Structure formats: C-alpha cells, structure tokens
Amino acid sequence: MKSVTSHYPQVTHRKTRYNPLMESPKPSMPDVGDSERSPLVDMLLEMIAWQQKQIEELEQQILKLKGETTKPKIKPSTMDKETETDDKQDNEDENDDKGKKKGPKRKKTAQLPIHKTEIREPDVVPEGSTFKGYRDVVVQDLVIQLHNTCYRLAQYETADGRYVAGKLPPGIRDGHWGEALNSFILYQHHQQHVTQPLLLEYLRDLGVDISSGELSNLLTRKLGVFHEEKAEILTVGMAVSRVLHTDDTGARHAGKSGYCTHIGNELFAWFSSTESKSRINFLECLSQGVEQRYVLNAGALEYLAQQKLPKPLQAALSNQPVDIDNQKAWEQWLTTHGIKRPRHRKIVTEGA
C-alpha cells in the first residue's frame, strides 16, 4: 500500500496557561433597596466589598511581579489640611476655655495708624436724647489713584544775560516719574515678579501715560543708587559681624559660565555676580566700596609661608616694602620682580 501524504497543515495543540487577569467581565452588583436590606444583607455587602478590595490588591501584586504597569497610588490632597487643623485647634481652644474666666479681649485695630477720622451722626435723633459719646469702628482700606503734579519752575534773566530757574525736588526720575511711582514699578517687577506686559497694562489702567520702552528703561537703566545701597549693606554687615560665611554657586548668563558669590550671616546677605570663584575674587568682593590696596606686611608674609611659596622668593619679598593702590600697577610690579608663574602670582596677590 502506498502511503498517503496529507496536504493539510499540521495542527499543534498547545496547553494554554491560566491567567487570573484574563477572565470574564466582572458582573455588576445590583442595587439593593432599603426595603430589602436586613442585617444579613448588610453584612454580606460589606464582605463583598472587602473581598473586592483584596482581589484588586492581589491583581496589582501580580502585575508588579510580571513587570507590567500597575495602578498608580494617588495620595489625597492636603490643600485643606492646614485649614482643618486650624479649625480643630480653634475648637479645642474653645472647649478648653469653657468654664474658665477669660481676660480682657484685645482690640485688633488698636495699633493701626489712623489717616482720617469722620464723625457719623444718626439719620434721626429723637427729641430729648442724651449724647453718650462715640463708638469707634476702624475700617481698613487702600487709596490707589493717579496723582499728577505740575511744577512751575520760575525762570529769571540776570543782568549779564544768564538765566536761573527753579529745580525739581529730589527723587523725581528722568524729570517725569515721581518717587512713589518709580518705587512701585521696581517693587512690583523685582519683588512680586510681575512681568513687564502685565505691569504696563496695570499702569495704563490706572491712567499712567507710559510706553513699554520707557517702562523697560525704568527697570534696567540708571540703577546706580541701588548698587550704592548694596555696597553699603556689605560694609555695614562686616562692621557689625564677628563671623562671615561665603559660598559660590555656578550660573550661566548669555551663554557664558559665571558664578554668584554670597557673603553674609544671620544678620545680612550680600550677593555678587563674578567670573571667578577664587580666593582673590572673594577678597575683591570684600573690598566693595573700599579702595583696593596691595600691601606686603607681616600678615602677608605669614600667608606666603603658609601657602609654601619658595623660600628664596619669600626672602626676596621680605625686603620689599610694597603699598600699591591699583591692580594695573600691582600686576606690573609682579612682572618687574620676576614673579611670572601663575601659582606664585596668585599666592603673592592673595597675601597682599
């Protein structure tokens, strides 16, 4: 007999592994009316809910063991936690105060400055009434309005043909912007982080006639008075402090690497943007607002010895009294005395 070869494809039967997650859809729980609820039904419903929770946790554990995505755990919001805590504390305080004799209640507005006092009479005072004084009610409010001032500067022509004229009071910026307006613009932008477009819109809503370019100039130009105040902060801070802390943080500006140097303590904080974070840079930061001088005295020579400057060079510098008041002359002095290696120039400069 000839063998017959089947032209049908061979079918291989493979045993399918049971996957607990690949099951039929979960049937929905029917609603149970109040008339059908009994203690036994309530207990069964609670047991079903507990079992469903356990099943969900087991499914998540299986997914985690298989390396698949699990259901994220979303923590409850804590936005109202502080409010609830405050309310709870207030309730506890009220419960504690029950049965206790309270002291005099403090007037919350007693320390407020009063800018205006206005007497308000009743609409109708019956005949025969006796005046019994006033009951003060302090109302807090703000006055935000445009306030323009026209200064008429008197002009005189002298006998020799010259002119003399009155001057604007101090504090007026660029001859157009009052001190309060200028302070408000700087405070809103730098302290409150209000963007220039929003600040421009707000000023125009108040009635201020100002362009976007002029607003930018007020925020970025002619700020020398603030730099002077910044230098005074460091000078006064060093005068009243026994200990100073310093740190340098790297930062990039305009595509270039730089550093922000901090000097301060618990009394003050001073910052400066620099291109270096060396000891020389720190010493230059300390001399803000003070004339820089380079002096080789006993303290400087001691520092050179601590930094292990070559002894022949130390001996040569010990006989060289130096007192130079600018950096360019100091660099020239180092070159003249043969101090050319960068490390040696750095150590001598730090000491001086």
Side-chain angles (χ1 to χ4, degrees):
M1 295 179 63
K2 296 182 179 179
S3 62
V4 180
T5 303
S6 175
H7 297 283
Y8 295 98
Q10 186 177 4
V11 179
T12 302
H13 296 281
R14 300 180 62 184
K15 185 177 180 180
T16 305
R17 297 181 60 184
Y18 171 71
N19 188 349
L21 300 182
M22 297 177 61
E23 56 185 11
S24 59
K26 182 180 66 174
S28 59
M29 178 68 67
D31 296 334
V32 181
D34 295 339
S35 60
E36 300 177 358
R37 298 180 72 96
S38 64
L40 178 59
V41 173
D42 291 339
M43 183 183 67
L44 291 175
L45 291 176
E46 292 179 2
M47 184 175 295
I48 293 174
W50 177 81
Q51 290 177 346
Q52 181 62 33
K53 183 178 180 181
Q54 297 297 320
I55 293 173
E56 291 179 357
E57 292 179 356
L58 291 173
E59 290 177 350
Q60 294 301 316
Q61 292 180 9
I62 293 173
L63 291 175
K64 186 176 181 180
L65 292 174
K66 294 177 65 176
E68 299 182 8
T69 304
T70 59
K71 183 179 180 180
K73 293 183 179 180
I74 302 176
K75 297 182 179 181
S77 175
T78 59
M79 295 181 61
D80 297 333
K81 186 175 181 180
E82 183 177 353
T83 304
E84 293 175 358
T85 304
D86 295 340
D87 295 340
K88 182 178 180 181
Q89 184 65 34
D90 294 340
N91 295 332
E92 292 178 356
D93 293 342
E94 291 179 0
N95 295 332
D96 293 341
D97 292 340
K98 289 182 179 180
K100 296 182 181 179
K101 186 177 180 180
K102 297 182 180 180
K105 187 176 180 181
R106 180 182 66 88
K107 292 185 178 181
K108 297 180 180 180
T109 59
Q111 304 299 327
L112 293 177
I114 305 301
H115 304 91
K116 177 183 178 181
T117 301
E118 182 177 340
I119 298 176
R120 305 287 297 178
E121 296 286 351
D123 295 336
V124 177
V125 179
E127 186 177 354
S129 301
T130 303
F131 178 70
K132 293 295 184 180
Y134 296 99
R135 181 175 65 90
D136 294 338
V137 178
V138 178
V139 177
Q140 299 185 65
D141 200 355
L142 289 175
V143 178
I144 302 177
Q145 63 181 15
L146 187 65
H147 185 77
N148 298 326
T149 303
C150 177
Y151 292 97
R152 308 193 68 187
L153 306 180
Q155 302 181 74
Y156 296 88
E157 182 180 2
T158 62
D160 55 359
R162 295 182 299 107
Y163 281 86
V164 293
K167 297 181 180 180
L168 293 172
I172 296 179
R173 188 169 174 183
D174 296 340
H176 297 285
W177 315 108
E179 188 174 8
L181 176 60
N182 184 44
S183 301
F184 176 80
I185 291 174
L186 295 174
Y187 177 81
Q188 289 295 319
H189 181 69
H190 295 289
Q191 186 70 18
Q192 300 300 323
H193 306 290
V194 180
T195 62
Q196 290 192 29
L198 291 178
L199 184 55
L200 178 65
E201 181 181 357
Y202 180 65
L203 292 174
R204 288 178 173 174
D205 289 342
L206 292 177
V208 180
D209 186 9
I210 185 173
S211 64
S212 59
E214 188 63 27
L215 177 60
S216 178
N217 291 336
L218 293 177
L219 292 171
T220 58
R221 298 176 58 188
K222 299 181 180 180
L223 302 177
V225 61
F226 295 100
H227 294 288
E228 295 175 0
E229 182 179 356
K230 172 187 169 185
E232 292 176 358
I233 291 175
L234 180 60
T235 304
V236 176
M238 291 191 298
V240 300
S241 302
R242 299 180 59 186
V243 178
L244 295 177
H245 303 281
T246 183
D247 191 16
D248 298 285
T249 303
R252 289 184 64 80
H253 176 69
K256 298 180 180 179
S257 298
Y259 300 91
C260 177
T261 302
H262 161 260
I263 300 176
N265 51 28
E266 69 277 5
L267 300 178
F268 75 100
W270 181 89
F271 300 89
S272 178
S273 298
T274 59
E275 299 179 355
S276 171
K277 64 173 185 177
S278 63
R279 180 180 176 86
I280 295 176
N281 175 73
F282 172 69
L283 296 174
E284 291 177 351
C285 289
L286 284 180
S287 62
Q288 293 288 328
V290 181
E291 181 182 359
Q292 292 189 17
R293 294 175 58 196
Y294 299 85
V295 180
L296 285 178
N297 52 20
L301 296 175
E302 182 180 358
Y303 178 80
L304 302 184
Q306 292 176 355
Q307 298 299 316
K308 298 181 180 181
L309 191 71
K311 291 186 178 180
L313 191 55
Q314 293 185 42
L317 294 177
S318 62
N319 300 323
Q320 296 287 340
V322 177
D323 190 348
I324 300 176
D325 60 358
N326 65 83
Q327 183 178 3
K328 185 177 181 180
W330 170 253
E331 297 288 344
Q332 184 178 357
W333 184 90
L334 292 175
T335 304
T336 303
H337 288 75
I339 307 175
K340 299 181 180 180
R341 292 189 177 182
R343 177 176 176 273
H344 296 169
R345 295 174 72 95
K346 173 177 174 293
I347 293 176
V348 177
T349 301
E350 291 174 354

